[in-house]
Amino acid sequence: KDILDGVSVLHLDGRNTLAAAHLAEKANAAKIPVVLDIEKERPDIEKVLPLADYIITNTQYPQIFKKGASTEEGMAALLEHGRAKWIITTLGAEGSQLMRRTKDDPEDQVSDPSLKYSSFEDYTIVKCSAHKVSKIVDTTGAGDSFIGAMLYGLASEMPTEKAMLLASFVAATKCSGAGARSALPLRSEVDEKLL
């Protein structure tokens, strides 16, 4: 039995990079999408980056990856470093930003007031506003909540921008309670148009 039996999406968090690279190679061979969540430089991360189909970073990582670059320049450099179809950078209270090659744009754009489309060189940028909640109590785990919702979107074959809207809602809702999990919404508490 293979360790990846039954896996529809492989999430790697940038730790244990040599083991992650080995697992990502196996996932690539099995045509299982690999999502890399990266927030800082780690030993041997350059062995994992080219194997990722999707990359999610925190606000700082694009400029860490390409020193002296803007967020967009760093995101573009990450995209060109390997096989990734898109990269999303979380922007805290500002929401998130996706970048993909313009040639890979889907035929049907997701239309929502929270989404703003623009371009940068040969790339499409989609900014997703942060979902508004009445009170921010604790941001611990907001990034992980965002990533978890994006993984749900990928596993459910949801359009990427729709998954971003869901992830924005989940991360913001999480921030309305103390700790990393107390305010995470149940599926039954998520508006059907986000699913």
Side-chain angles (χ1 to χ4, degrees):
K1 188 168 180 157
D2 189 88
I3 193 168
L4 295 173
D5 283 352
V7 173
S8 59
V9 176
L10 175 64
H11 170 243
L12 302 172
D13 66 3
R15 291 176 177 81
N16 303 313
T17 49
L18 294 177
H22 177 71
L23 205 51
E25 287 171 351
K26 288 180 71 109
N28 288 172
K31 302 201 181 329
I32 297 169
V34 175
V35 178
L36 177 61
D37 155 19
I38 185 163
E39 56 192 22
K40 61 184 177 181
E41 279 303 310
R42 301 216 185 253
D44 299 311
I45 196 64
E46 70 279 355
K47 292 181 169 103
V48 183
L49 275 167
L51 303 170
D53 296 293
Y54 307 98
I55 300 171
I56 302 175
T57 76
N58 63 2
T59 304
Q60 296 83 23
Y61 191 75
Q63 287 113 352
I64 292 170
F65 182 76
K66 186 172 181 180
K67 292 174 183 30
S70 68
T71 298
E72 291 77 14
E73 290 167 337
M75 291 174 78
L78 280 161
L79 269 177
E80 295 310 318
H81 191 69
R83 61 187 277 147
K85 294 171 181 65
W86 52 248
I87 177 170
I88 293 177
T89 296
T90 58
L91 304 171
E94 300 300 313
S96 61
Q97 176 172 290
L98 170 138
M99 179 183 279
R100 69 176 162 244
R101 292 166 194 85
T102 302
K103 67 180 181 63
D104 296 332
D105 280 348
E107 278 186 38
D108 299 323
Q109 274 190 351
V110 174
S111 179
D112 188 277
S114 295
L115 298 172
K116 304 286 184 251
Y117 292 84
S118 63
S119 61
F120 174 79
E121 296 175 0
D122 294 331
Y123 306 96
T124 296
I125 294 176
V126 183
K127 287 194 177 187
C128 181
S129 302
H131 182 81
K132 303 296 180 218
V133 290
S134 58
K135 184 177 180 186
I136 302 286
V137 174
D138 186 354
T139 61
T140 303
D144 291 332
S145 301
F146 181 92
I147 292 165
M150 288 302 302
L151 291 169
Y152 173 85
L154 278 168
S156 302
E157 299 181 4
M158 190 181 281
T160 305
E161 287 91 325
K162 187 172 180 182
M164 290 175 73
L165 292 166
L166 173 64
S168 176
F169 170 79
V170 170
T173 302
K174 184 255 84 56
C175 292
S176 67
R181 293 188 225 160
S182 69
L184 280 173
L186 299 172
R187 192 176 193 284
S188 61
E189 298 169 329
V190 177
D191 189 322
E192 280 298 315
K193 69 180 178 190
L194 292 176
L195 296 173

